[in-house]
Amino acid sequence: MRPFIPLALAATLLAACASPPPFEPTAPPPAPAKTAPAGFDTASLAGSVWNVVAVKGIGVKQADQVKLQFADAAEVAGFGGCNSFTGRAELSGSAIKFGPLAATQRACAPQAMAEESMYFSALSKVRSAREENGQLVLLDDAGNELVRLKRGQ
């Protein structure tokens, strides 16, 4: 029985000195959030008018009529394709936030109502903006494109 004790002690010591297994992450690290490029200042939007080209990547049928106007750095107005709207805006650096927005309550053709609903919903989620090839791109908090606009009158 005596030879068993030194063998057990040696095995215990060797196990304690063994290297731990290499670190293996269970999930890949999260991708960095998309952000608006530095240098674009949303305050420069005050006094400008924009026509909506696309909402969530879908082209707007009434692109020359659906508008967003920045009356100043704190107020916006526009037309959603069926109803006019007005409301507050917070512009700071590349950050931008709309709301609350108030709109008229006209009923229109189902297609126009659906596009307008999607546009108003997208505006409520906007958190930043960037300028890209002369167009204004409004982004959500993850940097995903919500609304694309071209300069209007």
PDB file of all heavy atoms in Angstrom, residues 37-77:
ATOM      1  N   PRO A  37     -20.021  59.678 -40.157  1.00  0.00           N
ATOM      2  CA  PRO A  37     -18.658  60.183 -40.203  1.00  0.00           C
ATOM      3  C   PRO A  37     -18.544  61.519 -39.494  1.00  0.00           C
ATOM      4  O   PRO A  37     -19.464  62.329 -39.509  1.00  0.00           O
ATOM      5  CB  PRO A  37     -18.379  60.342 -41.705  1.00  0.00           C
ATOM      6  CG  PRO A  37     -19.684  60.235 -42.396  1.00  0.00           C
ATOM      7  CD  PRO A  37     -20.647  59.595 -41.462  1.00  0.00           C
ATOM      8  N   ALA A  38     -17.419  61.724 -38.833  1.00  0.00           N
ATOM      9  CA  ALA A  38     -17.185  62.998 -38.170  1.00  0.00           C
ATOM     10  C   ALA A  38     -17.089  64.088 -39.222  1.00  0.00           C
ATOM     11  O   ALA A  38     -16.728  63.848 -40.360  1.00  0.00           O
ATOM     12  CB  ALA A  38     -15.885  62.914 -37.366  1.00  0.00           C
ATOM     13  N   GLY A  39     -17.441  65.281 -38.856  1.00  0.00           N
ATOM     14  CA  GLY A  39     -17.333  66.393 -39.783  1.00  0.00           C
ATOM     15  C   GLY A  39     -18.670  66.869 -40.307  1.00  0.00           C
ATOM     16  O   GLY A  39     -18.784  68.006 -40.732  1.00  0.00           O
ATOM     17  N   PHE A  40     -19.710  66.017 -40.305  1.00  0.00           N
ATOM     18  CA  PHE A  40     -21.030  66.466 -40.740  1.00  0.00           C
ATOM     19  C   PHE A  40     -21.739  67.072 -39.547  1.00  0.00           C
ATOM     20  O   PHE A  40     -21.881  66.445 -38.511  1.00  0.00           O
ATOM     21  CB  PHE A  40     -21.854  65.309 -41.309  1.00  0.00           C
ATOM     22  CG  PHE A  40     -23.232  65.743 -41.742  1.00  0.00           C
ATOM     23  CD1 PHE A  40     -23.395  66.566 -42.838  1.00  0.00           C
ATOM     24  CD2 PHE A  40     -24.347  65.369 -41.033  1.00  0.00           C
ATOM     25  CE1 PHE A  40     -24.655  66.991 -43.225  1.00  0.00           C
ATOM     26  CE2 PHE A  40     -25.612  65.774 -41.422  1.00  0.00           C
ATOM     27  CZ  PHE A  40     -25.761  66.595 -42.518  1.00  0.00           C
ATOM     28  N   ASP A  41     -22.176  68.310 -39.701  1.00  0.00           N
ATOM     29  CA  ASP A  41     -22.846  69.009 -38.618  1.00  0.00           C
ATOM     30  C   ASP A  41     -24.309  69.217 -38.988  1.00  0.00           C
ATOM     31  O   ASP A  41     -24.620  69.939 -39.936  1.00  0.00           O
ATOM     32  CB  ASP A  41     -22.162  70.354 -38.363  1.00  0.00           C
ATOM     33  CG  ASP A  41     -22.708  71.057 -37.147  1.00  0.00           C
ATOM     34  OD1 ASP A  41     -23.545  70.477 -36.423  1.00  0.00           O
ATOM     35  OD2 ASP A  41     -22.296  72.203 -36.910  1.00  0.00           O
ATOM     36  N   THR A  42     -25.204  68.570 -38.251  1.00  0.00           N
ATOM     37  CA  THR A  42     -26.628  68.670 -38.549  1.00  0.00           C
ATOM     38  C   THR A  42     -27.152  70.093 -38.407  1.00  0.00           C
ATOM     39  O   THR A  42     -28.184  70.416 -39.002  1.00  0.00           O
ATOM     40  CB  THR A  42     -27.455  67.731 -37.650  1.00  0.00           C
ATOM     41  OG1 THR A  42     -27.170  68.033 -36.284  1.00  0.00           O
ATOM     42  CG2 THR A  42     -27.136  66.276 -37.943  1.00  0.00           C
ATOM     43  N   ALA A  43     -26.466  70.951 -37.668  1.00  0.00           N
ATOM     44  CA  ALA A  43     -26.906  72.349 -37.538  1.00  0.00           C
ATOM     45  C   ALA A  43     -26.935  73.030 -38.910  1.00  0.00           C
ATOM     46  O   ALA A  43     -27.702  73.973 -39.118  1.00  0.00           O
ATOM     47  CB  ALA A  43     -26.003  73.105 -36.576  1.00  0.00           C
ATOM     48  N   SER A  44     -26.136  72.551 -39.858  1.00  0.00           N
ATOM     49  CA  SER A  44     -26.114  73.133 -41.200  1.00  0.00           C
ATOM     50  C   SER A  44     -27.409  72.851 -41.971  1.00  0.00           C
ATOM     51  O   SER A  44     -27.635  73.427 -43.028  1.00  0.00           O
ATOM     52  CB  SER A  44     -24.920  72.597 -41.990  1.00  0.00           C
ATOM     53  OG  SER A  44     -25.075  71.208 -42.248  1.00  0.00           O
ATOM     54  N   LEU A  45     -28.261  71.988 -41.436  1.00  0.00           N
ATOM     55  CA  LEU A  45     -29.521  71.662 -42.103  1.00  0.00           C
ATOM     56  C   LEU A  45     -30.583  72.744 -41.915  1.00  0.00           C
ATOM     57  O   LEU A  45     -31.565  72.777 -42.659  1.00  0.00           O
ATOM     58  CB  LEU A  45     -30.067  70.327 -41.573  1.00  0.00           C
ATOM     59  CG  LEU A  45     -29.202  69.097 -41.862  1.00  0.00           C
ATOM     60  CD1 LEU A  45     -29.753  67.884 -41.122  1.00  0.00           C
ATOM     61  CD2 LEU A  45     -29.128  68.834 -43.348  1.00  0.00           C
ATOM     62  N   ALA A  46     -30.413  73.623 -40.933  1.00  0.00           N
ATOM     63  CA  ALA A  46     -31.406  74.664 -40.652  1.00  0.00           C
ATOM     64  C   ALA A  46     -31.695  75.474 -41.915  1.00  0.00           C
ATOM     65  O   ALA A  46     -30.783  75.910 -42.618  1.00  0.00           O
ATOM     66  CB  ALA A  46     -30.926  75.571 -39.534  1.00  0.00           C
ATOM     67  N   GLY A  47     -32.986  75.611 -42.231  1.00  0.00           N
ATOM     68  CA  GLY A  47     -33.409  76.367 -43.397  1.00  0.00           C
ATOM     69  C   GLY A  47     -33.430  75.573 -44.689  1.00  0.00           C
ATOM     70  O   GLY A  47     -33.751  76.113 -45.738  1.00  0.00           O
ATOM     71  N   SER A  48     -33.129  74.278 -44.645  1.00  0.00           N
ATOM     72  CA  SER A  48     -33.083  73.472 -45.875  1.00  0.00           C
ATOM     73  C   SER A  48     -34.354  72.645 -46.058  1.00  0.00           C
ATOM     74  O   SER A  48     -35.072  72.345 -45.113  1.00  0.00           O
ATOM     75  CB  SER A  48     -31.856  72.548 -45.868  1.00  0.00           C
ATOM     76  OG  SER A  48     -31.942  71.597 -44.826  1.00  0.00           O
ATOM     77  N   VAL A  49     -34.598  72.287 -47.313  1.00  0.00           N
ATOM     78  CA  VAL A  49     -35.742  71.451 -47.683  1.00  0.00           C
ATOM     79  C   VAL A  49     -35.206  70.237 -48.428  1.00  0.00           C
ATOM     80  O   VAL A  49     -34.322  70.359 -49.280  1.00  0.00           O
ATOM     81  CB  VAL A  49     -36.736  72.226 -48.583  1.00  0.00           C
ATOM     82  CG1 VAL A  49     -37.887  71.331 -49.011  1.00  0.00           C
ATOM     83  CG2 VAL A  49     -37.245  73.471 -47.877  1.00  0.00           C
ATOM     84  N   TRP A  50     -35.764  69.056 -48.123  1.00  0.00           N
ATOM     85  CA  TRP A  50     -35.300  67.803 -48.715  1.00  0.00           C
ATOM     86  C   TRP A  50     -36.486  66.994 -49.214  1.00  0.00           C
ATOM     87  O   TRP A  50     -37.540  66.960 -48.573  1.00  0.00           O
ATOM     88  CB  TRP A  50     -34.533  66.986 -47.677  1.00  0.00           C
ATOM     89  CG  TRP A  50     -33.316  67.689 -47.185  1.00  0.00           C
ATOM     90  CD1 TRP A  50     -33.248  68.628 -46.182  1.00  0.00           C
ATOM     91  CD2 TRP A  50     -31.999  67.563 -47.684  1.00  0.00           C
ATOM     92  NE1 TRP A  50     -31.961  69.066 -46.034  1.00  0.00           N
ATOM     93  CE2 TRP A  50     -31.169  68.424 -46.939  1.00  0.00           C
ATOM     94  CE3 TRP A  50     -31.422  66.784 -48.694  1.00  0.00           C
ATOM     95  CZ2 TRP A  50     -29.807  68.541 -47.173  1.00  0.00           C
ATOM     96  CZ3 TRP A  50     -30.060  66.892 -48.921  1.00  0.00           C
ATOM     97  CH2 TRP A  50     -29.262  67.767 -48.161  1.00  0.00           C
ATOM     98  N   ASN A  51     -36.308  66.324 -50.342  1.00  0.00           N
ATOM     99  CA  ASN A  51     -37.303  65.403 -50.890  1.00  0.00           C
ATOM    100  C   ASN A  51     -36.879  63.979 -50.540  1.00  0.00           C
ATOM    101  O   ASN A  51     -35.709  63.616 -50.718  1.00  0.00           O
ATOM    102  CB  ASN A  51     -37.422  65.528 -52.402  1.00  0.00           C
ATOM    103  CG  ASN A  51     -37.986  66.852 -52.838  1.00  0.00           C
ATOM    104  OD1 ASN A  51     -38.602  67.578 -52.062  1.00  0.00           O
ATOM    105  ND2 ASN A  51     -37.773  67.194 -54.087  1.00  0.00           N
ATOM    106  N   VAL A  52     -37.821  63.178 -50.083  1.00  0.00           N
ATOM    107  CA  VAL A  52     -37.527  61.801 -49.694  1.00  0.00           C
ATOM    108  C   VAL A  52     -37.379  60.936 -50.942  1.00  0.00           C
ATOM    109  O   VAL A  52     -38.251  60.923 -51.800  1.00  0.00           O
ATOM    110  CB  VAL A  52     -38.635  61.248 -48.768  1.00  0.00           C
ATOM    111  CG1 VAL A  52     -38.361  59.798 -48.414  1.00  0.00           C
ATOM    112  CG2 VAL A  52     -38.750  62.100 -47.509  1.00  0.00           C
ATOM    113  N   VAL A  53     -36.267  60.239 -51.033  1.00  0.00           N
ATOM    114  CA  VAL A  53     -35.974  59.342 -52.148  1.00  0.00           C
ATOM    115  C   VAL A  53     -36.355  57.906 -51.781  1.00  0.00           C
ATOM    116  O   VAL A  53     -36.964  57.199 -52.579  1.00  0.00           O
ATOM    117  CB  VAL A  53     -34.474  59.408 -52.522  1.00  0.00           C
ATOM    118  CG1 VAL A  53     -34.121  58.394 -53.582  1.00  0.00           C
ATOM    119  CG2 VAL A  53     -34.093  60.807 -52.943  1.00  0.00           C
ATOM    120  N   ALA A  54     -35.989  57.484 -50.567  1.00  0.00           N
ATOM    121  CA  ALA A  54     -36.245  56.110 -50.128  1.00  0.00           C
ATOM    122  C   ALA A  54     -36.424  56.065 -48.621  1.00  0.00           C
ATOM    123  O   ALA A  54     -35.837  56.860 -47.888  1.00  0.00           O
ATOM    124  CB  ALA A  54     -35.094  55.197 -50.541  1.00  0.00           C
ATOM    125  N   VAL A  55     -37.240  55.123 -48.178  1.00  0.00           N
ATOM    126  CA  VAL A  55     -37.436  54.856 -46.757  1.00  0.00           C
ATOM    127  C   VAL A  55     -37.124  53.385 -46.534  1.00  0.00           C
ATOM    128  O   VAL A  55     -37.710  52.516 -47.193  1.00  0.00           O
ATOM    129  CB  VAL A  55     -38.874  55.180 -46.305  1.00  0.00           C
ATOM    130  CG1 VAL A  55     -39.074  54.830 -44.836  1.00  0.00           C
ATOM    131  CG2 VAL A  55     -39.215  56.643 -46.556  1.00  0.00           C
ATOM    132  N   LYS A  56     -36.155  53.113 -45.655  1.00  0.00           N
ATOM    133  CA  LYS A  56     -35.699  51.748 -45.371  1.00  0.00           C
ATOM    134  C   LYS A  56     -35.330  51.004 -46.657  1.00  0.00           C
ATOM    135  O   LYS A  56     -35.637  49.835 -46.833  1.00  0.00           O
ATOM    136  CB  LYS A  56     -36.745  50.991 -44.572  1.00  0.00           C
ATOM    137  CG  LYS A  56     -36.973  51.592 -43.199  1.00  0.00           C
ATOM    138  CD  LYS A  56     -37.955  50.777 -42.388  1.00  0.00           C
ATOM    139  CE  LYS A  56     -38.150  51.429 -41.039  1.00  0.00           C
ATOM    140  NZ  LYS A  56     -39.131  50.714 -40.228  1.00  0.00           N
ATOM    141  N   GLY A  57     -34.715  51.725 -47.594  1.00  0.00           N
ATOM    142  CA  GLY A  57     -34.244  51.133 -48.839  1.00  0.00           C
ATOM    143  C   GLY A  57     -35.300  50.963 -49.917  1.00  0.00           C
ATOM    144  O   GLY A  57     -35.001  50.476 -50.994  1.00  0.00           O
ATOM    145  N   ILE A  58     -36.524  51.368 -49.639  1.00  0.00           N
ATOM    146  CA  ILE A  58     -37.608  51.233 -50.613  1.00  0.00           C
ATOM    147  C   ILE A  58     -37.883  52.593 -51.235  1.00  0.00           C
ATOM    148  O   ILE A  58     -38.139  53.567 -50.520  1.00  0.00           O
ATOM    149  CB  ILE A  58     -38.885  50.686 -49.943  1.00  0.00           C
ATOM    150  CG1 ILE A  58     -38.599  49.311 -49.334  1.00  0.00           C
ATOM    151  CG2 ILE A  58     -40.036  50.616 -50.943  1.00  0.00           C
ATOM    152  CD1 ILE A  58     -39.699  48.786 -48.444  1.00  0.00           C
ATOM    153  N   GLY A  59     -37.821  52.672 -52.556  1.00  0.00           N
ATOM    154  CA  GLY A  59     -38.070  53.932 -53.259  1.00  0.00           C
ATOM    155  C   GLY A  59     -39.475  54.458 -52.988  1.00  0.00           C
ATOM    156  O   GLY A  59     -40.428  53.698 -52.918  1.00  0.00           O
ATOM    157  N   VAL A  60     -39.578  55.778 -52.842  1.00  0.00           N
ATOM    158  CA  VAL A  60     -40.858  56.432 -52.579  1.00  0.00           C
ATOM    159  C   VAL A  60     -41.480  56.826 -53.916  1.00  0.00           C
ATOM    160  O   VAL A  60     -40.837  57.469 -54.746  1.00  0.00           O
ATOM    161  CB  VAL A  60     -40.649  57.666 -51.670  1.00  0.00           C
ATOM    162  CG1 VAL A  60     -41.923  58.451 -51.494  1.00  0.00           C
ATOM    163  CG2 VAL A  60     -40.093  57.226 -50.329  1.00  0.00           C
ATOM    164  N   LYS A  61     -42.717  56.441 -54.133  1.00  0.00           N
ATOM    165  CA  LYS A  61     -43.403  56.711 -55.408  1.00  0.00           C
ATOM    166  C   LYS A  61     -43.610  58.208 -55.633  1.00  0.00           C
ATOM    167  O   LYS A  61     -43.527  58.682 -56.740  1.00  0.00           O
ATOM    168  CB  LYS A  61     -44.743  55.990 -55.437  1.00  0.00           C
ATOM    169  CG  LYS A  61     -44.623  54.491 -55.311  1.00  0.00           C
ATOM    170  CD  LYS A  61     -45.159  53.806 -56.525  1.00  0.00           C
ATOM    171  CE  LYS A  61     -45.106  52.306 -56.388  1.00  0.00           C
ATOM    172  NZ  LYS A  61     -43.906  51.703 -56.827  1.00  0.00           N
ATOM    173  N   GLN A  62     -43.902  58.959 -54.581  1.00  0.00           N
ATOM    174  CA  GLN A  62     -44.155  60.398 -54.697  1.00  0.00           C
ATOM    175  C   GLN A  62     -42.920  61.196 -54.260  1.00  0.00           C
ATOM    176  O   GLN A  62     -43.023  62.161 -53.517  1.00  0.00           O
ATOM    177  CB  GLN A  62     -45.330  60.785 -53.801  1.00  0.00           C
ATOM    178  CG  GLN A  62     -46.607  60.039 -54.089  1.00  0.00           C
ATOM    179  CD  GLN A  62     -47.685  60.450 -53.102  1.00  0.00           C
ATOM    180  OE1 GLN A  62     -48.061  61.603 -53.056  1.00  0.00           O
ATOM    181  NE2 GLN A  62     -48.151  59.501 -52.316  1.00  0.00           N
ATOM    182  N   ALA A  63     -41.752  60.810 -54.732  1.00  0.00           N
ATOM    183  CA  ALA A  63     -40.490  61.369 -54.253  1.00  0.00           C
ATOM    184  C   ALA A  63     -40.424  62.893 -54.333  1.00  0.00           C
ATOM    185  O   ALA A  63     -39.786  63.518 -53.503  1.00  0.00           O
ATOM    186  CB  ALA A  63     -39.317  60.753 -54.997  1.00  0.00           C
ATOM    187  N   ASP A  64     -41.064  63.516 -55.322  1.00  0.00           N
ATOM    188  CA  ASP A  64     -40.994  64.969 -55.430  1.00  0.00           C
ATOM    189  C   ASP A  64     -41.969  65.663 -54.486  1.00  0.00           C
ATOM    190  O   ASP A  64     -41.897  66.870 -54.310  1.00  0.00           O
ATOM    191  CB  ASP A  64     -41.260  65.419 -56.872  1.00  0.00           C
ATOM    192  CG  ASP A  64     -40.133  65.005 -57.805  1.00  0.00           C
ATOM    193  OD1 ASP A  64     -38.991  64.838 -57.313  1.00  0.00           O
ATOM    194  OD2 ASP A  64     -40.385  64.829 -59.006  1.00  0.00           O
ATOM    195  N   GLN A  65     -42.891  64.911 -53.884  1.00  0.00           N
ATOM    196  CA  GLN A  65     -43.871  65.506 -52.989  1.00  0.00           C
ATOM    197  C   GLN A  65     -43.585  65.247 -51.517  1.00  0.00           C
ATOM    198  O   GLN A  65     -43.927  66.053 -50.667  1.00  0.00           O
ATOM    199  CB  GLN A  65     -45.267  64.990 -53.324  1.00  0.00           C
ATOM    200  CG  GLN A  65     -45.739  65.411 -54.700  1.00  0.00           C
ATOM    201  CD  GLN A  65     -47.104  64.818 -55.023  1.00  0.00           C
ATOM    202  OE1 GLN A  65     -47.767  64.229 -54.187  1.00  0.00           O
ATOM    203  NE2 GLN A  65     -47.523  64.974 -56.268  1.00  0.00           N
ATOM    204  N   VAL A  66     -42.986  64.108 -51.184  1.00  0.00           N
ATOM    205  CA  VAL A  66     -42.707  63.762 -49.794  1.00  0.00           C
ATOM    206  C   VAL A  66     -41.479  64.559 -49.358  1.00  0.00           C
ATOM    207  O   VAL A  66     -40.405  64.416 -49.928  1.00  0.00           O
ATOM    208  CB  VAL A  66     -42.495  62.244 -49.628  1.00  0.00           C
ATOM    209  CG1 VAL A  66     -42.225  61.904 -48.175  1.00  0.00           C
ATOM    210  CG2 VAL A  66     -43.706  61.481 -50.143  1.00  0.00           C
ATOM    211  N   LYS A  67     -41.686  65.413 -48.359  1.00  0.00           N
ATOM    212  CA  LYS A  67     -40.652  66.394 -47.998  1.00  0.00           C
ATOM    213  C   LYS A  67     -40.329  66.398 -46.514  1.00  0.00           C
ATOM    214  O   LYS A  67     -41.130  65.980 -45.686  1.00  0.00           O
ATOM    215  CB  LYS A  67     -41.106  67.799 -48.383  1.00  0.00           C
ATOM    216  CG  LYS A  67     -41.299  67.994 -49.871  1.00  0.00           C
ATOM    217  CD  LYS A  67     -41.491  69.458 -50.220  1.00  0.00           C
ATOM    218  CE  LYS A  67     -41.739  69.663 -51.684  1.00  0.00           C
ATOM    219  NZ  LYS A  67     -40.664  69.300 -52.558  1.00  0.00           N
ATOM    220  N   LEU A  68     -39.151  66.924 -46.230  1.00  0.00           N
ATOM    221  CA  LEU A  68     -38.719  67.212 -44.864  1.00  0.00           C
ATOM    222  C   LEU A  68     -38.041  68.569 -44.903  1.00  0.00           C
ATOM    223  O   LEU A  68     -37.067  68.756 -45.639  1.00  0.00           O
ATOM    224  CB  LEU A  68     -37.741  66.144 -44.366  1.00  0.00           C
ATOM    225  CG  LEU A  68     -37.151  66.364 -42.978  1.00  0.00           C
ATOM    226  CD1 LEU A  68     -38.246  66.378 -41.907  1.00  0.00           C
ATOM    227  CD2 LEU A  68     -36.132  65.273 -42.665  1.00  0.00           C
ATOM    228  N   GLN A  69     -38.572  69.507 -44.142  1.00  0.00           N
ATOM    229  CA  GLN A  69     -38.011  70.858 -44.100  1.00  0.00           C
ATOM    230  C   GLN A  69     -37.521  71.145 -42.687  1.00  0.00           C
ATOM    231  O   GLN A  69     -38.243  70.930 -41.713  1.00  0.00           O
ATOM    232  CB  GLN A  69     -39.068  71.889 -44.479  1.00  0.00           C
ATOM    233  CG  GLN A  69     -38.561  73.300 -44.375  1.00  0.00           C
ATOM    234  CD  GLN A  69     -39.618  74.334 -44.768  1.00  0.00           C
ATOM    235  OE1 GLN A  69     -40.735  73.993 -45.130  1.00  0.00           O
ATOM    236  NE2 GLN A  69     -39.251  75.590 -44.681  1.00  0.00           N
ATOM    237  N   PHE A  70     -36.288  71.605 -42.596  1.00  0.00           N
ATOM    238  CA  PHE A  70     -35.713  72.019 -41.320  1.00  0.00           C
ATOM    239  C   PHE A  70     -35.929  73.520 -41.205  1.00  0.00           C
ATOM    240  O   PHE A  70     -35.158  74.308 -41.761  1.00  0.00           O
ATOM    241  CB  PHE A  70     -34.219  71.675 -41.265  1.00  0.00           C
ATOM    242  CG  PHE A  70     -33.955  70.191 -41.245  1.00  0.00           C
ATOM    243  CD1 PHE A  70     -33.846  69.471 -42.428  1.00  0.00           C
ATOM    244  CD2 PHE A  70     -33.832  69.513 -40.050  1.00  0.00           C
ATOM    245  CE1 PHE A  70     -33.612  68.107 -42.417  1.00  0.00           C
ATOM    246  CE2 PHE A  70     -33.602  68.144 -40.020  1.00  0.00           C
ATOM    247  CZ  PHE A  70     -33.488  67.439 -41.215  1.00  0.00           C
ATOM    248  N   ALA A  71     -36.990  73.915 -40.512  1.00  0.00           N
ATOM    249  CA  ALA A  71     -37.293  75.342 -40.360  1.00  0.00           C
ATOM    250  C   ALA A  71     -36.137  76.044 -39.646  1.00  0.00           C
ATOM    251  O   ALA A  71     -35.710  77.121 -40.051  1.00  0.00           O
ATOM    252  CB  ALA A  71     -38.595  75.527 -39.589  1.00  0.00           C
ATOM    253  N   ASP A  72     -35.634  75.426 -38.608  1.00  0.00           N
ATOM    254  CA  ASP A  72     -34.445  75.895 -37.894  1.00  0.00           C
ATOM    255  C   ASP A  72     -33.857  74.691 -37.164  1.00  0.00           C
ATOM    256  O   ASP A  72     -34.247  73.563 -37.443  1.00  0.00           O
ATOM    257  CB  ASP A  72     -34.775  77.070 -36.952  1.00  0.00           C
ATOM    258  CG  ASP A  72     -35.875  76.760 -35.954  1.00  0.00           C
ATOM    259  OD1 ASP A  72     -35.895  75.633 -35.401  1.00  0.00           O
ATOM    260  OD2 ASP A  72     -36.727  77.634 -35.722  1.00  0.00           O
ATOM    261  N   ALA A  73     -32.955  74.932 -36.226  1.00  0.00           N
ATOM    262  CA  ALA A  73     -32.284  73.814 -35.554  1.00  0.00           C
ATOM    263  C   ALA A  73     -33.173  73.095 -34.546  1.00  0.00           C
ATOM    264  O   ALA A  73     -32.757  72.107 -33.956  1.00  0.00           O
ATOM    265  CB  ALA A  73     -31.020  74.312 -34.862  1.00  0.00           C
ATOM    266  N   ALA A  74     -34.411  73.574 -34.347  1.00  0.00           N
ATOM    267  CA  ALA A  74     -35.287  72.938 -33.366  1.00  0.00           C
ATOM    268  C   ALA A  74     -36.665  72.589 -33.902  1.00  0.00           C
ATOM    269  O   ALA A  74     -37.480  72.035 -33.184  1.00  0.00           O
ATOM    270  CB  ALA A  74     -35.434  73.863 -32.153  1.00  0.00           C
ATOM    271  N   GLU A  75     -36.947  72.902 -35.165  1.00  0.00           N
ATOM    272  CA  GLU A  75     -38.277  72.656 -35.700  1.00  0.00           C
ATOM    273  C   GLU A  75     -38.216  72.123 -37.127  1.00  0.00           C
ATOM    274  O   GLU A  75     -37.448  72.607 -37.945  1.00  0.00           O
ATOM    275  CB  GLU A  75     -39.096  73.947 -35.680  1.00  0.00           C
ATOM    276  CG  GLU A  75     -40.550  73.742 -36.044  1.00  0.00           C
ATOM    277  CD  GLU A  75     -41.366  75.019 -35.934  1.00  0.00           C
ATOM    278  OE1 GLU A  75     -40.882  76.004 -35.378  1.00  0.00           O
ATOM    279  OE2 GLU A  75     -42.500  75.004 -36.429  1.00  0.00           O
ATOM    280  N   VAL A  76     -39.052  71.104 -37.380  1.00  0.00           N
ATOM    281  CA  VAL A  76     -39.166  70.534 -38.718  1.00  0.00           C
ATOM    282  C   VAL A  76     -40.633  70.545 -39.152  1.00  0.00           C
ATOM    283  O   VAL A  76     -41.538  70.649 -38.327  1.00  0.00           O
ATOM    284  CB  VAL A  76     -38.640  69.079 -38.792  1.00  0.00           C
ATOM    285  CG1 VAL A  76     -37.142  69.037 -38.589  1.00  0.00           C
ATOM    286  CG2 VAL A  76     -39.358  68.176 -37.830  1.00  0.00           C
ATOM    287  N   ALA A  77     -40.813  70.451 -40.440  1.00  0.00           N
ATOM    288  CA  ALA A  77     -42.145  70.342 -41.021  1.00  0.00           C
ATOM    289  C   ALA A  77     -41.997  69.541 -42.294  1.00  0.00           C
ATOM    290  O   ALA A  77     -40.880  69.275 -42.749  1.00  0.00           O
ATOM    291  CB  ALA A  77     -42.719  71.729 -41.315  1.00  0.00           C
TER     292      ALA A  77
END
